[in-house]
Amino acid sequence: MRQALRNWAFVVPRPEQRTAPSDVRLALRWAERASRPLTDLMDPAVMRAVLQALRLKQDGTVAAAETQRHQRMTLVNAVRYAIEQGMLRGDPIANVSWRIAKTVKQVDPRVVANPAQARSLLCAVSYVGSHRRARGRRLVGLFAGMYYAGLRPEEAVAVTLPDCVLPAEGWGRAILHITRPQAGKKWTDTGRLHDECGLKGRPLGDTRPVPLPPELVAQWRESVLTFGTADDGRLFFNERGGILASSTYDRVWHEARELALPPGLLSTPLAARPYDLRHSALSTWLNAGVDPTEVAERAGNSVEVLMTKYAKCLYGRATIANQRIEALLDEYD
């Protein structure tokens, strides 16, 4: 049913139903018969039930606040379109008082890799695939950006050389302003696999400067010297110069874990996904005593979300705080 609705009913332009497989046609006909009239949304009780359903995931648990917000905006846009088309006489959402249930999913400390483990994993990436195809070697810098600079995968995929300062020595800098999330050809305005979007949670065109540690600068410089850049200046790309698909770097990462981790750790959640490199970076910075405001600025998060999300990954903070308080009090003895 979900596949039928996603691939045949909820796409524009909508494919001819007669060209769909028989099981898809049956599913769509059933959905049409089982669906309630759109005007039922004018009943506040019905509208509230719809809004309540938006709070939940498929397994019945509460979805993240950002997911709820996104789903509500999708519903709002659909309702506005229905009003424009004369299918609804008013806005049914305006009659219902409803708030997004605030939830913040905390990072599991078991996914966080320490610096030694992270370096071992990055080294293992370079051994994935043959040397000629360089399936792993061309992605070392991509994963290094997630760990050393705390980049999100869709940010790392979109980094371009003109937006970077990569000195021969010392720290560098990258100016982030676009992301390349993977949505699917049917769901992008261009008909391509990836959309070009702004930074997460920021207005389109906004930028975020990110300092690059010397170790990362060296890896990115080496990547440019070895593989060059894509036609649009992207540092990381597939063998044909296209945008990296998440399935591509996911496969490489899983193979690298098998090379780098001993059996006892391979079965654990340690760095199970590329995104866990970002979690590892932010946890490392916070535990190193970097000011949370600075960490939040580099990561593109709010301080509140940062400290709540990584609360379980902070070790020894109470001891450090106690020592600082004690030292301050001792000055006045």
Side-chain angles (χ1 to χ4, degrees), residues 232-254:
D232 59 359
R234 279 177 292 108
L235 294 183
F236 310 110
F237 46 93
N238 60 29
E239 294 178 70
R240 298 179 299 278
I243 299 172
L244 282 168
S246 58
S247 58
T248 298
Y249 57 75
D250 278 344
R251 282 195 299 269
V252 170
W253 184 250
H254 290 310

Side-chain angles (χ1 to χ4, degrees), residues 9-21:
F10 299 154
V11 291
V12 178
R14 186 173 179 177
E16 288 288 339
Q17 194 174 129
R18 57 186 173 82
T19 63

Side-chain angles (χ1 to χ4, degrees), residues 113 116-129 135-144 247-263 265-268 270-274 277:
Q117 291 168 333
R119 287 191 176 97
S120 177
L121 286 162
L122 292 175
C123 179
V125 170
S126 66
Y127 288 95
V128 173
R135 197 161 58 89
R137 286 194 301 131
R138 67 171 63 248
L139 298 185
V140 173
L142 177 82
F143 295 124
S247 58
T248 298
Y249 57 75
D250 278 344
R251 282 195 299 269
V252 170
W253 184 250
H254 290 310
E255 291 181 46
R257 285 186 82 248
E258 293 178 355
L259 292 173
L261 300 181
L265 288 178
L266 190 59
S267 59
T268 70
L270 177 68
R273 308 168 304 152
L277 290 170

Side-chain angles (χ1 to χ4, degrees), residues 47-56 62 64-65 67-73 75-76 93-101:
M47 189 69 254
R48 178 174 292 280
V50 172
L51 290 169
Q52 287 294 110
L54 295 183
R55 286 181 169 174
L56 305 178
V62 178
T67 300
Q68 296 179 48
R69 191 175 294 108
H70 176 75
Q71 293 185 154
R72 186 181 187 279
M73 281 306 303
L75 177 63
V76 167
I93 301 177
N95 300 325
V96 179
S97 177
W98 184 83
R99 291 183 179 180
I100 293 172

Side-chain angles (χ1 to χ4, degrees), residues 320-333:
I320 295 173
N322 290 344
Q323 291 172 348
R324 290 177 177 175
I325 293 171
E326 186 176 356
L328 178 63
L329 294 175
D330 288 344
E331 291 180 8
Y332 292 88
D333 284 347

Side-chain angles (χ1 to χ4, degrees), residues 35-258:
S35 297
R36 299 177 62 166
L38 189 62
T39 52
D40 283 3
L41 290 178
M42 298 307 298
D43 181 347
V46 175
M47 189 69 254
R48 178 174 292 280
V50 172
L51 290 169
Q52 287 294 110
L54 295 183
R55 286 181 169 174
L56 305 178
K57 297 187 292 186
Q58 280 186 275
D59 60 6
T61 58
V62 178
E66 186 63 28
T67 300
Q68 296 179 48
R69 191 175 294 108
H70 176 75
Q71 293 185 154
R72 186 181 187 279
M73 281 306 303
T74 301
L75 177 63
V76 167
N77 290 334
V79 166
R80 288 175 179 172
Y81 181 74
I83 294 172
E84 288 178 9
Q85 298 299 310
M87 303 170 74
L88 287 174
R89 64 179 184 275
D91 184 357
I93 301 177
N95 300 325
V96 179
S97 177
W98 184 83
R99 291 183 179 180
I100 293 172
K102 293 185 178 181
T103 60
V104 177
K105 184 178 180 181
Q106 292 186 325
V107 173
D108 184 346
R110 295 178 299 168
V111 310
V112 174
N114 63 41
Q117 291 168 333
R119 287 191 176 97
S120 177
L121 286 162
L122 292 175
C123 179
V125 170
S126 66
Y127 288 95
V128 173
S130 66
H131 186 81
R132 182 181 62 83
R133 287 189 60 190
R135 197 161 58 89
R137 286 194 301 131
R138 67 171 63 248
L139 298 185
V140 173
L142 177 82
F143 295 124
M146 299 179 200
Y147 179 70
Y148 289 112
L151 303 183
R152 297 179 176 92
E154 63 270 22
E155 294 171 345
V157 166
V159 171
T160 63
L161 185 58
D163 292 327
C164 295
V165 177
L166 304 175
E169 295 182 358
W171 284 69
R173 185 183 64 179
I175 303 296
L176 306 182
H177 58 94
I178 62 171
T179 59
R180 296 278 190 172
Q182 183 171 321
K185 295 180 180 180
K186 293 183 178 180
W187 306 100
T188 60
D189 294 334
T190 60
R192 298 175 181 173
L193 191 62
H194 296 79
D195 252 337
E196 182 175 312
C197 303
L199 300 178
K200 183 178 180 180
R202 299 198 181 195
L204 190 63
D206 200 3
T207 62
R208 186 173 96 241
V210 178
L212 308 177
E215 192 167 348
L216 177 59
V217 171
Q219 289 183 344
W220 281 11
R221 285 173 61 92
E222 182 181 352
S223 178
V224 172
L225 287 173
T226 305
F227 303 107
T229 65
D231 291 340
D232 59 359
R234 279 177 292 108
L235 294 183
F236 310 110
F237 46 93
N238 60 29
E239 294 178 70
R240 298 179 299 278
I243 299 172
L244 282 168
S246 58
S247 58
T248 298
Y249 57 75
D250 278 344
R251 282 195 299 269
V252 170
W253 184 250
H254 290 310
E255 291 181 46
R257 285 186 82 248
E258 293 178 355

